[in-house]
Structures are given as C-alpha cells and as structure tokens.
Amino acid sequence: MENAPPKLLIVEDEPGLALGLRDNFEFEGFAVFSAADGEEALRIAFREKPDLVLLDLMLPKLTGFEVCRQLREAGAAMPIVMLTARSQEADVVKGLELGADDYVTKPFSIRELIARVRAHLRRAAPAQARLERYEFGGMSFDFRNYAAHGMSGELILSPREFELLRYLVTRRGEVVTREELLEQVWGIQDYPMTRTVDNHIGKLRQKIEAEPGEPKWIVTVHRSGYKFLG
Ligand code: CA
C-alpha cells in the first residue's frame, strides 16, 4: 500500500498540453488518468478517486468551476489544482471559493507544477504512510528513531542521510532526480545546488556500501539522478 503510485487526474481539453502533462507525470511515477471535458472528469473522479486533480477551467460540457463544485459537494476532499490562463486570473478567486486548493497560470513550468503537486500530496498524506523501517543487505534502518545497524554494529547516519535514504527506499527501482531529492528531502523549491545531493549521496555510500566507489545499493543513473536497488 505504502508504495502505490499516487493517482492523478488531469482534466484538460487541449490535447497537446494534456499529453505533455501525462508524459511528465507518468515519468515521475504517477498513475495518470485523463479527462477532456467536465462530465468525463466527474465520471473518472468518482470512479478512480484520484489523490489529486489538475483542473483546467475552460472545458467543454461542464466548466472547471462546476467540476470543482460538484466534487466538493459530493464530499471529495482531494487537493484540486486549477490550471488557468493569464487572462483568467480574476477567476482564481472564484475557483478557490468553490474549494480548489491552488492554481498555476499557463504557461507554467512543469518542474514547478510537479513540485506543487508533490507538496499538496505530502500535506494530504497521513503521517503513518511514511516508511518507518527498512532492511536490506544485512542492514536495518529505523527511520522513526534515526537508528541503523549493519553486520558489524551501529551505523552512524545524520538525520538528513536517514531522510535521503528513506526517500530513495520509498521510490526503490525508480530513477529519482537531484531536483526531486532537493524538493522532497531538503524542501528547497528552486534547487540552487544539486551538488548538495551528490555530496550527501557520497557520504551515505561511505556508510552503507561495501565498495563506495562501486555502489550496488544507490546507483548513479547517468544524466538523470539516482536509483535505489535494495
Ligand atoms: Ca481549456
């Protein structure tokens, strides 16, 4: 359960944008559902119960406002992020009044949108969904108490290293970018120093890899980031 990908419903009637969003969020590990009009949006939302809805406002059949209103009236509590055109900024207030949580103005940076979506999901996620313990390679990690043991005794990791490892473990088998790690582990939104991530990965490898120069648990994915293989 804890590793089920977050479900995202993208409601957007412009096919190019809808496809671009789908590709990007699927690449980031989301299970993506798409709707091209307001009625389809409601149908999918009630059937799939997405964790978050990206909602264009100007839509065929039912507007984004109406979709938002009907979702909230039906008791749906997932975060709703509106996608608005610059000329619609006045509509943002109306959307927020109808129960939307946030908005981005087109054209937006996909990086920024992904960061916002993750931040909303993090806030919405119950605390117990966070991974508490994990074992691999003869080592055990207690992420709640920041305690770790290896074959030859206690492993001393900094809190940041525990959080970094915890995040990599929750995404095991997937490529995680440095920007995502900064966002998720450091909480930095404008990523000034991706080197910071490399330095911490280096230290973590010294502690958990038998041969830090040839890591088998946290591998580097060329030009992309890191992947945990435990
Ligand atoms: Ca539209």
Side-chain angles (χ1 to χ4, degrees):
M1 228 351 235
E2 90 213 3
N3 291 311
K7 283 189 187 180
L8 178 69
L9 171 57
I10 297 172
V11 187
E12 171 59 62
D13 61 326
E14 192 188 306
L17 180 55
L19 191 63
L21 287 169
R22 170 183 274 274
D23 283 351
N24 275 282
F25 277 98
E26 282 183 345
F27 182 79
E28 293 289 325
F30 287 78
V32 176
F33 300 87
S34 304
D37 66 61
E39 287 176 4
E40 190 182 23
L42 286 174
R43 226 170 21 246
I44 296 176
F46 290 129
R47 190 182 69 217
E48 301 294 340
K49 303 189 172 26
D51 297 301
L52 187 143
V53 179
L54 284 183
L55 183 61
D56 184 30
L57 291 181
M58 303 310 274
L59 291 167
K61 297 187 183 173
L62 290 177
T63 66
F65 296 119
E66 191 57 22
V67 171
C68 188
R69 194 182 62 75
Q70 291 198 29
L71 284 174
R72 293 304 188 227
E73 270 184 13
M78 80 287 272
I80 297 175
V81 177
M82 298 181 284
L83 307 175
T84 70
R86 202 161 285 285
S87 59
Q88 296 172 308
E89 275 178 341
D91 291 342
V92 164
V93 176
K94 182 177 170 191
L96 295 173
E97 278 171 4
L98 287 170
D101 297 90
D102 197 2
Y103 68 97
V104 293
T105 306
K106 299 175 189 175
F108 46 78
S109 135
I110 188 72
R111 276 276 137 222
E112 186 195 336
L113 178 59
I114 290 168
R116 294 250 206 120
V117 163
R118 287 195 188 286
H120 280 290
L121 288 174
R122 214 163 37 234
R123 253 171 260 149
Q128 67 267 27
R130 288 163 67 78
L131 180 69
E132 291 188 2
R133 307 186 68 85
Y134 196 71
E135 295 185 10
F136 66 96
M139 296 172 281
S140 68
F141 297 84
D142 174 347
F143 294 109
R144 217 160 70 149
N145 300 306
Y146 290 155
H149 287 86
M151 307 269 205
S152 48
E154 194 181 355
L155 296 170
I156 308 295
L157 273 63
S158 71
R160 185 80 75 191
E161 288 161 358
F162 273 108
E163 291 301 329
L164 181 56
L165 182 61
R166 163 151 54 186
Y167 191 75
L168 288 167
V169 170
T170 61
R171 296 285 308 274
R172 62 184 167 273
E174 296 174 47
V175 178
V176 181
T177 65
R178 292 173 178 81
E179 288 79 7
E180 182 179 341
L181 290 169
L182 279 174
E183 241 166 70
Q184 297 291 330
V185 179
W186 278 262
I188 297 169
Q189 299 289 327
D190 51 356
Y191 342 115
M193 303 237 286
T194 48
R195 240 357 259 177
T196 304
V197 175
D198 299 332
N199 291 340
H200 279 78
I201 293 279
K203 284 187 205 153
L204 192 49
R205 280 175 173 159
Q206 294 291 335
K207 296 170 184 180
I208 68 170
E209 298 280 358
E211 292 180 63
E214 281 180 57
K216 63 182 268 200
W217 301 120
I218 301 176
V219 299
T220 302
V221 181
H222 185 56
R223 288 178 171 279
S224 302
Y226 296 100
K227 190 193 276 191
F228 178 71
L229 297 176

